[in-house]
Amino acid sequence: QVQLVESGGGSVQTGGSLRLSCVASGDTYRYCMGWFRQAPGKEREGVAAIDSNGNTNYADSVKGRFTISQDNAKNTLYLQMNSLKSEDTAMYSCAAEVKWWLPCLLFESDFGYWGQGTQVTVSS
């Protein structure tokens, strides 16, 4: 069992920066962790993922602006968001995948554990 708690969301202006955090507890092994987001009226989409070796994958829409990282000693996942745009406004959730036989990609169905989400609002 894995528990995930996000924090760091808030309201920022276009072009601003924000860093999200996700603290994991419970089972120590997590093969893959990722960030997903969902805006009102839209489907949930994958943002970024990172595996236990530090390999990363990003959605094209955030590539070059967002950076996913993790601090294993603190069991914490981060998402550094720079050059924020209004279309980045969404509820952001972190997720954990424990299926070691699967690659760490942005497939929602592969992630078995989810946090409660933290709201990010970007205004002009």
Side-chain angles (χ1 to χ4, degrees):
Q1 187 67 228
V2 178
Q3 293 174 296
L4 306 171
V5 180
E6 304 98 330
S7 63
S11 181
V12 297
Q13 295 292 116
T14 298
S17 298
L18 204 62
R19 188 180 75 162
L20 306 183
S21 299
C22 174
V23 178
S25 61
D27 292 347
T28 185
Y29 177 74
R30 291 167 292 279
Y31 175 75
C32 171
M33 297 192 72
W35 288 97
F36 293 78
R37 66 186 183 185
Q38 186 169 28
K42 297 183 179 180
E43 296 183 347
R44 178 182 286 170
E45 63 176 345
V47 176
I50 185 169
D51 68 17
S52 58
N53 295 129
N55 299 307
T56 59
N57 282 292
Y58 295 93
D60 289 340
S61 60
V62 307
K63 205 168 294 182
R65 298 189 298 121
F66 291 11
T67 302
I68 187 171
S69 62
Q70 59 190 349
D71 185 332
N72 292 327
K74 297 180 179 180
N75 289 322
T76 302
L77 177 74
Y78 301 99
L79 183 67
Q80 179 65 48
M81 305 183 292
N82 298 324
S83 301
L84 284 163
K85 307 173 182 179
S86 60
E87 51 262 45
D88 294 319
T89 295
M91 179 70 73
Y92 285 72
S93 300
C94 69
E97 175 189 335
V98 297
K99 301 174 183 177
W100 59 266
W101 60 93
L102 295 177
C104 189
L105 303 175
L106 297 173
F107 296 119
E108 180 180 349
S109 61
D110 288 345
F111 292 80
Y113 301 94
W114 296 82
Q116 82 289 348
T118 185
Q119 179 67 38
V120 171
T121 301
V122 184
S123 59
S124 60

Short mmCIF file of all heavy atoms in Angstrom, two decimals, residues 54-122:
data_model
loop_
_atom_site.label_atom_id
_atom_site.label_comp_id
_atom_site.label_asym_id
_atom_site.label_seq_id
_atom_site.Cartn_x
_atom_site.Cartn_y
_atom_site.Cartn_z
N GLY A 54 15.82 7.26 -12.56
CA GLY A 54 15.89 8.65 -12.95
C GLY A 54 15.53 8.94 -14.39
O GLY A 54 15.64 10.08 -14.84
N ASN A 55 15.10 7.93 -15.13
CA ASN A 55 14.66 8.14 -16.50
C ASN A 55 13.32 8.87 -16.50
O ASN A 55 12.44 8.54 -15.71
CB ASN A 55 14.51 6.81 -17.24
CG ASN A 55 15.82 6.06 -17.32
OD1 ASN A 55 16.83 6.59 -17.76
ND2 ASN A 55 15.82 4.80 -16.87
N THR A 56 13.17 9.85 -17.38
CA THR A 56 11.97 10.69 -17.39
C THR A 56 11.25 10.68 -18.72
O THR A 56 11.82 10.40 -19.76
CB THR A 56 12.33 12.14 -17.04
OG1 THR A 56 13.26 12.65 -18.00
CG2 THR A 56 12.95 12.23 -15.66
N ASN A 57 9.95 10.98 -18.65
CA ASN A 57 9.12 11.17 -19.83
C ASN A 57 8.22 12.37 -19.59
O ASN A 57 7.69 12.54 -18.49
CB ASN A 57 8.27 9.92 -20.11
CG ASN A 57 9.05 8.81 -20.76
OD1 ASN A 57 9.46 8.93 -21.91
ND2 ASN A 57 9.27 7.73 -20.02
N TYR A 58 8.05 13.20 -20.61
CA TYR A 58 7.24 14.40 -20.50
C TYR A 58 6.22 14.48 -21.63
O TYR A 58 6.47 14.04 -22.75
CB TYR A 58 8.10 15.65 -20.58
CG TYR A 58 9.07 15.83 -19.43
CD1 TYR A 58 10.37 15.37 -19.52
CD2 TYR A 58 8.67 16.48 -18.27
CE1 TYR A 58 11.26 15.53 -18.48
CE2 TYR A 58 9.55 16.66 -17.22
CZ TYR A 58 10.85 16.18 -17.33
OH TYR A 58 11.73 16.35 -16.28
N ALA A 59 5.09 15.08 -21.31
CA ALA A 59 4.13 15.41 -22.35
C ALA A 59 4.72 16.52 -23.21
O ALA A 59 5.45 17.38 -22.71
CB ALA A 59 2.81 15.88 -21.73
N ASP A 60 4.41 16.49 -24.50
CA ASP A 60 4.96 17.50 -25.40
C ASP A 60 4.59 18.92 -24.97
O ASP A 60 5.37 19.86 -25.16
CB ASP A 60 4.46 17.26 -26.82
CG ASP A 60 5.08 16.04 -27.47
OD1 ASP A 60 6.15 15.59 -27.01
OD2 ASP A 60 4.50 15.53 -28.45
N SER A 61 3.43 19.08 -24.38
CA SER A 61 2.95 20.40 -24.00
C SER A 61 3.75 21.05 -22.87
O SER A 61 3.69 22.27 -22.69
CB SER A 61 1.47 20.33 -23.59
OG SER A 61 1.29 19.46 -22.49
N VAL A 62 4.51 20.26 -22.11
CA VAL A 62 5.27 20.81 -21.00
C VAL A 62 6.77 20.63 -21.16
O VAL A 62 7.54 21.15 -20.32
CB VAL A 62 4.83 20.19 -19.65
CG1 VAL A 62 3.33 20.32 -19.47
CG2 VAL A 62 5.26 18.73 -19.56
N LYS A 63 7.19 19.96 -22.19
CA LYS A 63 8.61 19.70 -22.41
C LYS A 63 9.38 21.01 -22.52
O LYS A 63 9.00 21.92 -23.25
CB LYS A 63 8.79 18.86 -23.68
CG LYS A 63 10.06 18.04 -23.74
CD LYS A 63 10.00 17.03 -24.88
CE LYS A 63 8.93 15.98 -24.66
NZ LYS A 63 8.90 14.97 -25.75
N GLY A 64 10.46 21.12 -21.76
CA GLY A 64 11.26 22.33 -21.76
C GLY A 64 10.84 23.34 -20.71
O GLY A 64 11.59 24.29 -20.43
N ARG A 65 9.65 23.17 -20.14
CA ARG A 65 9.15 24.09 -19.12
C ARG A 65 9.05 23.44 -17.75
O ARG A 65 9.28 24.08 -16.73
CB ARG A 65 7.78 24.63 -19.51
CG ARG A 65 7.77 25.43 -20.81
CD ARG A 65 6.42 26.11 -21.02
NE ARG A 65 5.33 25.14 -21.15
CZ ARG A 65 4.27 25.10 -20.35
NH1 ARG A 65 4.13 25.98 -19.36
NH2 ARG A 65 3.31 24.18 -20.55
N PHE A 66 8.69 22.16 -17.72
CA PHE A 66 8.51 21.43 -16.47
C PHE A 66 9.66 20.44 -16.27
O PHE A 66 10.19 19.89 -17.23
CB PHE A 66 7.20 20.63 -16.47
CG PHE A 66 5.95 21.47 -16.42
CD1 PHE A 66 5.99 22.85 -16.59
CD2 PHE A 66 4.73 20.86 -16.20
CE1 PHE A 66 4.83 23.61 -16.55
CE2 PHE A 66 3.56 21.60 -16.15
CZ PHE A 66 3.61 22.98 -16.33
N THR A 67 10.00 20.20 -15.01
CA THR A 67 11.03 19.23 -14.67
C THR A 67 10.55 18.36 -13.52
O THR A 67 10.17 18.86 -12.47
CB THR A 67 12.35 19.91 -14.26
OG1 THR A 67 12.81 20.75 -15.32
CG2 THR A 67 13.42 18.86 -13.96
N ILE A 68 10.58 17.04 -13.73
CA ILE A 68 10.20 16.12 -12.68
C ILE A 68 11.47 15.58 -12.03
O ILE A 68 12.47 15.31 -12.70
CB ILE A 68 9.33 14.96 -13.23
CG1 ILE A 68 8.80 14.09 -12.08
CG2 ILE A 68 10.10 14.12 -14.24
CD1 ILE A 68 7.75 13.07 -12.53
N SER A 69 11.45 15.44 -10.72
CA SER A 69 12.61 14.93 -9.99
C SER A 69 12.13 14.26 -8.71
O SER A 69 10.95 14.36 -8.33
CB SER A 69 13.60 16.05 -9.66
OG SER A 69 13.00 17.03 -8.82
N GLN A 70 13.03 13.56 -8.05
CA GLN A 70 12.67 12.90 -6.81
C GLN A 70 13.84 12.89 -5.84
O GLN A 70 15.00 12.86 -6.23
CB GLN A 70 12.18 11.48 -7.08
CG GLN A 70 13.17 10.57 -7.79
CD GLN A 70 12.54 9.27 -8.24
OE1 GLN A 70 11.42 8.93 -7.87
NE2 GLN A 70 13.26 8.53 -9.07
N ASP A 71 13.51 12.90 -4.56
CA ASP A 71 14.48 12.81 -3.49
C ASP A 71 14.17 11.52 -2.76
O ASP A 71 13.24 11.47 -1.96
CB ASP A 71 14.39 14.01 -2.56
CG ASP A 71 15.47 14.02 -1.50
OD1 ASP A 71 15.96 12.94 -1.11
OD2 ASP A 71 15.84 15.12 -1.05
N ASN A 72 14.93 10.48 -3.05
CA ASN A 72 14.64 9.17 -2.47
C ASN A 72 14.78 9.15 -0.95
O ASN A 72 14.03 8.44 -0.27
CB ASN A 72 15.57 8.12 -3.09
CG ASN A 72 15.26 7.85 -4.54
OD1 ASN A 72 14.11 7.92 -4.97
ND2 ASN A 72 16.29 7.55 -5.32
N ALA A 73 15.71 9.91 -0.42
CA ALA A 73 15.91 9.95 1.03
C ALA A 73 14.69 10.51 1.74
O ALA A 73 14.38 10.12 2.87
CB ALA A 73 17.14 10.77 1.37
N LYS A 74 13.98 11.42 1.08
CA LYS A 74 12.79 12.05 1.67
C LYS A 74 11.50 11.44 1.16
O LYS A 74 10.42 11.88 1.56
CB LYS A 74 12.80 13.55 1.39
CG LYS A 74 13.96 14.30 2.00
CD LYS A 74 13.88 15.78 1.68
CE LYS A 74 15.03 16.55 2.31
NZ LYS A 74 14.96 18.00 1.98
N ASN A 75 11.60 10.46 0.27
CA ASN A 75 10.42 9.84 -0.34
C ASN A 75 9.50 10.90 -0.94
O ASN A 75 8.28 10.84 -0.78
CB ASN A 75 9.66 9.00 0.68
CG ASN A 75 10.40 7.74 1.06
OD1 ASN A 75 11.05 7.11 0.23
ND2 ASN A 75 10.31 7.36 2.33
N THR A 76 10.10 11.85 -1.63
CA THR A 76 9.35 12.97 -2.16
C THR A 76 9.57 13.14 -3.67
O THR A 76 10.70 13.08 -4.15
CB THR A 76 9.73 14.28 -1.45
OG1 THR A 76 9.49 14.14 -0.05
CG2 THR A 76 8.90 15.44 -1.97
N LEU A 77 8.48 13.36 -4.37
CA LEU A 77 8.48 13.62 -5.80
C LEU A 77 8.21 15.11 -6.01
O LEU A 77 7.40 15.70 -5.30
CB LEU A 77 7.39 12.79 -6.48
CG LEU A 77 7.19 12.98 -7.98
CD1 LEU A 77 8.32 12.33 -8.74
CD2 LEU A 77 5.83 12.41 -8.40
N TYR A 78 8.87 15.71 -7.00
CA TYR A 78 8.71 17.13 -7.27
C TYR A 78 8.34 17.36 -8.73
O TYR A 78 8.67 16.57 -9.62
CB TYR A 78 10.00 17.90 -6.99
CG TYR A 78 10.50 17.79 -5.57
CD1 TYR A 78 11.52 16.89 -5.25
CD2 TYR A 78 9.96 18.57 -4.56
CE1 TYR A 78 11.99 16.79 -3.95
CE2 TYR A 78 10.42 18.47 -3.26
CZ TYR A 78 11.44 17.58 -2.96
OH TYR A 78 11.90 17.48 -1.68
N LEU A 79 7.66 18.47 -8.96
CA LEU A 79 7.41 18.94 -10.31
C LEU A 79 7.68 20.44 -10.31
O LEU A 79 6.90 21.21 -9.76
CB LEU A 79 5.97 18.66 -10.76
CG LEU A 79 5.66 19.07 -12.20
CD1 LEU A 79 6.45 18.20 -13.18
CD2 LEU A 79 4.17 18.98 -12.49
N GLN A 80 8.79 20.83 -10.92
CA GLN A 80 9.13 22.24 -11.07
C GLN A 80 8.48 22.75 -12.34
O GLN A 80 8.75 22.22 -13.43
CB GLN A 80 10.64 22.43 -11.13
CG GLN A 80 11.09 23.87 -11.32
CD GLN A 80 10.74 24.75 -10.14
OE1 GLN A 80 10.99 24.38 -9.00
NE2 GLN A 80 10.16 25.91 -10.41
N MET A 81 7.64 23.75 -12.22
CA MET A 81 6.90 24.29 -13.35
C MET A 81 7.33 25.73 -13.60
O MET A 81 7.17 26.58 -12.73
CB MET A 81 5.39 24.21 -13.10
CG MET A 81 4.89 22.82 -12.77
SD MET A 81 3.09 22.75 -12.58
CE MET A 81 2.91 23.72 -11.07
N ASN A 82 7.89 25.98 -14.77
CA ASN A 82 8.33 27.31 -15.15
C ASN A 82 7.56 27.79 -16.38
O ASN A 82 6.96 26.99 -17.09
CB ASN A 82 9.83 27.32 -15.46
CG ASN A 82 10.68 26.94 -14.27
OD1 ASN A 82 10.37 27.28 -13.13
ND2 ASN A 82 11.78 26.24 -14.53
N SER A 83 7.61 29.08 -16.63
CA SER A 83 6.94 29.68 -17.79
C SER A 83 5.50 29.22 -17.89
O SER A 83 5.03 28.79 -18.95
CB SER A 83 7.71 29.34 -19.07
OG SER A 83 9.04 29.81 -19.01
N LEU A 84 4.79 29.31 -16.79
CA LEU A 84 3.42 28.80 -16.73
C LEU A 84 2.48 29.57 -17.66
O LEU A 84 2.60 30.79 -17.82
CB LEU A 84 2.90 28.85 -15.30
CG LEU A 84 3.47 27.75 -14.40
CD1 LEU A 84 3.26 28.10 -12.93
CD2 LEU A 84 2.80 26.42 -14.73
N LYS A 85 1.54 28.83 -18.24
CA LYS A 85 0.55 29.38 -19.15
C LYS A 85 -0.84 29.13 -18.59
O LYS A 85 -1.03 28.26 -17.74
CB LYS A 85 0.67 28.71 -20.53
CG LYS A 85 2.05 28.75 -21.15
CD LYS A 85 2.09 27.92 -22.42
CE LYS A 85 3.47 27.91 -23.04
NZ LYS A 85 3.53 27.09 -24.28
N SER A 86 -1.81 29.85 -19.10
CA SER A 86 -3.18 29.68 -18.63
C SER A 86 -3.67 28.25 -18.86
O SER A 86 -4.44 27.73 -18.05
CB SER A 86 -4.12 30.67 -19.31
OG SER A 86 -4.12 30.49 -20.72
N GLU A 87 -3.23 27.61 -19.92
CA GLU A 87 -3.65 26.25 -20.21
C GLU A 87 -3.06 25.22 -19.25
O GLU A 87 -3.42 24.05 -19.30
CB GLU A 87 -3.33 25.86 -21.66
CG GLU A 87 -1.89 26.13 -22.07
CD GLU A 87 -1.74 27.43 -22.82
OE1 GLU A 87 -2.32 28.45 -22.38
OE2 GLU A 87 -1.04 27.45 -23.85
N ASP A 88 -2.15 25.65 -18.37
CA ASP A 88 -1.62 24.76 -17.35
C ASP A 88 -2.54 24.68 -16.14
O ASP A 88 -2.30 23.87 -15.24
CB ASP A 88 -0.23 25.22 -16.90
CG ASP A 88 0.81 25.11 -18.00
OD1 ASP A 88 0.80 24.10 -18.73
OD2 ASP A 88 1.64 26.03 -18.11
N THR A 89 -3.55 25.51 -16.10
CA THR A 89 -4.50 25.51 -15.00
C THR A 89 -5.21 24.16 -14.93
O THR A 89 -5.82 23.72 -15.90
CB THR A 89 -5.53 26.63 -15.16
OG1 THR A 89 -4.88 27.90 -15.08
CG2 THR A 89 -6.60 26.55 -14.08
N ALA A 90 -5.12 23.50 -13.78
CA ALA A 90 -5.71 22.18 -13.61
C ALA A 90 -5.50 21.69 -12.19
O ALA A 90 -4.75 22.29 -11.42
CB ALA A 90 -5.09 21.19 -14.60
N MET A 91 -6.16 20.59 -11.87
CA MET A 91 -5.90 19.87 -10.64
C MET A 91 -4.77 18.89 -10.95
O MET A 91 -4.90 18.06 -11.85
CB MET A 91 -7.14 19.14 -10.16
CG MET A 91 -6.93 18.34 -8.88
SD MET A 91 -6.72 19.39 -7.42
CE MET A 91 -8.40 19.99 -7.19
N TYR A 92 -3.68 19.00 -10.21
CA TYR A 92 -2.53 18.14 -10.43
C TYR A 92 -2.47 17.05 -9.38
O TYR A 92 -2.54 17.32 -8.18
CB TYR A 92 -1.23 18.96 -10.38
CG TYR A 92 -1.00 19.79 -11.61
CD1 TYR A 92 -1.78 20.92 -11.87
CD2 TYR A 92 0.00 19.46 -12.54
CE1 TYR A 92 -1.57 21.68 -13.01
CE2 TYR A 92 0.21 20.22 -13.67
CZ TYR A 92 -0.57 21.33 -13.91
OH TYR A 92 -0.36 22.09 -15.04
N SER A 93 -2.31 15.81 -9.82
CA SER A 93 -2.23 14.67 -8.93
C SER A 93 -0.95 13.89 -9.18
O SER A 93 -0.51 13.77 -10.32
CB SER A 93 -3.43 13.74 -9.13
OG SER A 93 -4.65 14.41 -8.87
N CYS A 94 -0.36 13.37 -8.13
CA CYS A 94 0.77 12.48 -8.31
C CYS A 94 0.28 11.04 -8.21
O CYS A 94 -0.76 10.76 -7.60
CB CYS A 94 1.89 12.75 -7.30
SG CYS A 94 1.53 12.34 -5.59
N ALA A 95 1.01 10.14 -8.82
CA ALA A 95 0.61 8.74 -8.87
C ALA A 95 1.84 7.85 -8.81
O ALA A 95 2.94 8.25 -9.20
CB ALA A 95 -0.19 8.46 -10.14
N ALA A 96 1.64 6.63 -8.33
CA ALA A 96 2.72 5.66 -8.21
C ALA A 96 2.36 4.37 -8.93
O ALA A 96 1.23 3.91 -8.87
CB ALA A 96 3.03 5.39 -6.75
N GLU A 97 3.36 3.80 -9.58
CA GLU A 97 3.23 2.53 -10.28
C GLU A 97 4.21 1.55 -9.67
O GLU A 97 5.39 1.87 -9.47
CB GLU A 97 3.52 2.70 -11.77
CG GLU A 97 3.54 1.41 -12.57
CD GLU A 97 4.05 1.61 -13.98
OE1 GLU A 97 3.96 2.73 -14.51
OE2 GLU A 97 4.54 0.62 -14.57
N VAL A 98 3.74 0.35 -9.35
CA VAL A 98 4.60 -0.66 -8.74
C VAL A 98 4.83 -1.85 -9.65
O VAL A 98 5.43 -2.83 -9.24
CB VAL A 98 4.03 -1.13 -7.40
CG1 VAL A 98 3.99 0.02 -6.41
CG2 VAL A 98 2.64 -1.73 -7.58
N LYS A 99 4.38 -1.77 -10.88
CA LYS A 99 4.55 -2.85 -11.84
C LYS A 99 5.92 -2.73 -12.50
O LYS A 99 6.08 -2.02 -13.51
CB LYS A 99 3.44 -2.81 -12.89
CG LYS A 99 2.04 -2.94 -12.30
CD LYS A 99 0.98 -2.74 -13.37
CE LYS A 99 -0.41 -2.81 -12.78
NZ LYS A 99 -1.45 -2.55 -13.80
N TRP A 100 6.89 -3.41 -11.95
CA TRP A 100 8.28 -3.29 -12.41
C TRP A 100 8.49 -3.75 -13.84
O TRP A 100 9.48 -3.38 -14.48
CB TRP A 100 9.21 -4.06 -11.48
CG TRP A 100 8.88 -5.52 -11.39
CD1 TRP A 100 8.09 -6.13 -10.47
CD2 TRP A 100 9.33 -6.56 -12.27
NE1 TRP A 100 8.02 -7.48 -10.71
CE2 TRP A 100 8.78 -7.77 -11.81
CE3 TRP A 100 10.16 -6.59 -13.39
CZ2 TRP A 100 9.02 -8.99 -12.44
CZ3 TRP A 100 10.40 -7.80 -14.01
CH2 TRP A 100 9.84 -8.98 -13.54
N TRP A 101 7.59 -4.59 -14.34
CA TRP A 101 7.75 -5.15 -15.68
C TRP A 101 7.25 -4.21 -16.77
O TRP A 101 7.39 -4.52 -17.96
CB TRP A 101 7.02 -6.49 -15.78
CG TRP A 101 5.55 -6.42 -15.53
CD1 TRP A 101 4.57 -6.27 -16.47
CD2 TRP A 101 4.90 -6.52 -14.27
NE1 TRP A 101 3.34 -6.26 -15.86
CE2 TRP A 101 3.51 -6.41 -14.51
CE3 TRP A 101 5.35 -6.68 -12.95
CZ2 TRP A 101 2.56 -6.46 -13.48
CZ3 TRP A 101 4.41 -6.72 -11.93
CH2 TRP A 101 3.03 -6.62 -12.21
N LEU A 102 6.69 -3.07 -16.42
CA LEU A 102 6.21 -2.10 -17.38
C LEU A 102 7.12 -0.88 -17.43
O LEU A 102 7.68 -0.48 -16.41
CB LEU A 102 4.79 -1.66 -17.05
CG LEU A 102 3.69 -2.71 -17.11
CD1 LEU A 102 2.36 -2.10 -16.67
CD2 LEU A 102 3.56 -3.27 -18.52
N PRO A 103 7.27 -0.28 -18.61
CA PRO A 103 8.05 0.95 -18.70
C PRO A 103 7.33 2.10 -18.00
O PRO A 103 6.10 2.08 -17.87
CB PRO A 103 8.17 1.20 -20.20
CG PRO A 103 6.95 0.55 -20.78
CD PRO A 103 6.74 -0.68 -19.94
N CYS A 104 8.08 3.08 -17.56
CA CYS A 104 7.50 4.21 -16.85
C CYS A 104 7.05 5.27 -17.85
O CYS A 104 7.79 6.21 -18.16
CB CYS A 104 8.53 4.78 -15.87
SG CYS A 104 7.88 6.01 -14.73
N LEU A 105 5.82 5.09 -18.33
CA LEU A 105 5.26 5.99 -19.32
C LEU A 105 3.99 6.63 -18.76
O LEU A 105 3.57 6.34 -17.65
CB LEU A 105 4.95 5.23 -20.61
CG LEU A 105 6.15 4.52 -21.26
CD1 LEU A 105 5.69 3.71 -22.46
CD2 LEU A 105 7.22 5.51 -21.65
N LEU A 106 3.36 7.49 -19.56
CA LEU A 106 2.22 8.26 -19.09
C LEU A 106 0.88 7.60 -19.40
O LEU A 106 -0.03 8.23 -19.94
CB LEU A 106 2.28 9.67 -19.67
CG LEU A 106 3.50 10.49 -19.23
CD1 LEU A 106 3.56 11.80 -19.99
CD2 LEU A 106 3.46 10.73 -17.73
N PHE A 107 0.76 6.33 -19.05
CA PHE A 107 -0.49 5.60 -19.21
C PHE A 107 -1.19 5.56 -17.86
O PHE A 107 -0.74 4.90 -16.92
CB PHE A 107 -0.25 4.19 -19.73
CG PHE A 107 0.36 4.14 -21.10
CD1 PHE A 107 1.59 3.54 -21.32
CD2 PHE A 107 -0.31 4.69 -22.19
CE1 PHE A 107 2.15 3.49 -22.58
CE2 PHE A 107 0.24 4.65 -23.46
CZ PHE A 107 1.47 4.05 -23.66
N GLU A 108 -2.30 6.24 -17.76
CA GLU A 108 -3.03 6.36 -16.51
C GLU A 108 -3.38 5.00 -15.90
O GLU A 108 -3.28 4.83 -14.68
CB GLU A 108 -4.32 7.16 -16.74
CG GLU A 108 -5.17 7.35 -15.50
CD GLU A 108 -6.42 8.15 -15.78
OE1 GLU A 108 -6.52 8.74 -16.89
OE2 GLU A 108 -7.31 8.20 -14.91
N SER A 109 -3.75 4.05 -16.71
CA SER A 109 -4.17 2.75 -16.22
C SER A 109 -3.04 1.96 -15.56
O SER A 109 -3.29 1.00 -14.83
CB SER A 109 -4.80 1.92 -17.35
OG SER A 109 -3.86 1.69 -18.39
N ASP A 110 -1.81 2.33 -15.81
CA ASP A 110 -0.66 1.63 -15.23
C ASP A 110 -0.39 2.05 -13.79
O ASP A 110 0.33 1.35 -13.07
CB ASP A 110 0.60 1.89 -16.05
CG ASP A 110 0.59 1.17 -17.39
OD1 ASP A 110 -0.23 0.26 -17.58
OD2 ASP A 110 1.43 1.53 -18.25
N PHE A 111 -0.95 3.16 -13.35
CA PHE A 111 -0.69 3.68 -12.02
C PHE A 111 -1.78 3.24 -11.05
O PHE A 111 -2.96 3.51 -11.26
CB PHE A 111 -0.59 5.21 -12.05
CG PHE A 111 0.63 5.70 -12.78
CD1 PHE A 111 0.66 5.76 -14.16
CD2 PHE A 111 1.76 6.11 -12.07
CE1 PHE A 111 1.80 6.21 -14.83
CE2 PHE A 111 2.89 6.56 -12.73
CZ PHE A 111 2.91 6.60 -14.11
N GLY A 112 -1.36 2.60 -9.97
CA GLY A 112 -2.32 2.04 -9.04
C GLY A 112 -2.61 2.87 -7.80
O GLY A 112 -3.58 2.61 -7.10
N TYR A 113 -1.78 3.87 -7.53
CA TYR A 113 -1.96 4.70 -6.34
C TYR A 113 -1.97 6.17 -6.71
O TYR A 113 -1.15 6.62 -7.51
CB TYR A 113 -0.84 4.41 -5.32
CG TYR A 113 -0.80 2.97 -4.90
CD1 TYR A 113 0.04 2.06 -5.55
CD2 TYR A 113 -1.60 2.50 -3.87
CE1 TYR A 113 0.07 0.73 -5.18
CE2 TYR A 113 -1.57 1.17 -3.49
CZ TYR A 113 -0.73 0.29 -4.15
OH TYR A 113 -0.71 -1.04 -3.78
N TRP A 114 -2.89 6.90 -6.10
CA TRP A 114 -3.10 8.30 -6.44
C TRP A 114 -3.23 9.18 -5.21
O TRP A 114 -3.77 8.77 -4.19
CB TRP A 114 -4.37 8.45 -7.28
CG TRP A 114 -4.29 7.77 -8.60
CD1 TRP A 114 -4.49 6.45 -8.85
CD2 TRP A 114 -3.96 8.37 -9.85
NE1 TRP A 114 -4.31 6.18 -10.19
CE2 TRP A 114 -3.98 7.35 -10.83
CE3 TRP A 114 -3.65 9.67 -10.25
CZ2 TRP A 114 -3.70 7.60 -12.17
CZ3 TRP A 114 -3.37 9.92 -11.58
CH2 TRP A 114 -3.41 8.89 -12.52
N GLY A 115 -2.73 10.41 -5.32
CA GLY A 115 -2.90 11.39 -4.27
C GLY A 115 -4.22 12.12 -4.44
O GLY A 115 -4.98 11.86 -5.38
N GLN A 116 -4.51 13.04 -3.53
CA GLN A 116 -5.79 13.75 -3.56
C GLN A 116 -5.81 14.91 -4.54
O GLN A 116 -6.88 15.39 -4.90
CB GLN A 116 -6.13 14.26 -2.15
CG GLN A 116 -5.46 15.57 -1.74
CD GLN A 116 -3.97 15.46 -1.48
OE1 GLN A 116 -3.41 14.37 -1.39
NE2 GLN A 116 -3.31 16.62 -1.37
N GLY A 117 -4.65 15.37 -4.97
CA GLY A 117 -4.56 16.45 -5.93
C GLY A 117 -4.31 17.80 -5.28
O GLY A 117 -4.68 18.04 -4.14
N THR A 118 -3.69 18.70 -6.04
CA THR A 118 -3.47 20.07 -5.60
C THR A 118 -3.76 21.00 -6.78
O THR A 118 -3.34 20.74 -7.91
CB THR A 118 -2.03 20.26 -5.07
OG1 THR A 118 -1.88 21.59 -4.55
CG2 THR A 118 -0.99 20.03 -6.15
N GLN A 119 -4.50 22.06 -6.52
CA GLN A 119 -4.96 22.94 -7.58
C GLN A 119 -3.89 23.94 -7.99
O GLN A 119 -3.26 24.58 -7.15
CB GLN A 119 -6.22 23.70 -7.13
CG GLN A 119 -6.77 24.67 -8.16
CD GLN A 119 -7.33 23.98 -9.39
OE1 GLN A 119 -7.94 22.92 -9.28
NE2 GLN A 119 -7.11 24.56 -10.56
N VAL A 120 -3.72 24.08 -9.31
CA VAL A 120 -2.83 25.08 -9.87
C VAL A 120 -3.65 25.99 -10.77
O VAL A 120 -4.33 25.51 -11.69
CB VAL A 120 -1.69 24.45 -10.69
CG1 VAL A 120 -0.90 25.52 -11.45
CG2 VAL A 120 -0.76 23.66 -9.78
N THR A 121 -3.61 27.28 -10.50
CA THR A 121 -4.34 28.25 -11.29
C THR A 121 -3.39 29.30 -11.84
O THR A 121 -2.67 29.94 -11.08
CB THR A 121 -5.43 28.93 -10.46
OG1 THR A 121 -6.33 27.95 -9.93
CG2 THR A 121 -6.22 29.93 -11.30
N VAL A 122 -3.40 29.46 -13.16
CA VAL A 122 -2.52 30.43 -13.81
C VAL A 122 -3.40 31.50 -14.44
O VAL A 122 -4.23 31.21 -15.31
CB VAL A 122 -1.64 29.78 -14.88
CG1 VAL A 122 -0.67 30.80 -15.47
CG2 VAL A 122 -0.87 28.61 -14.29
#
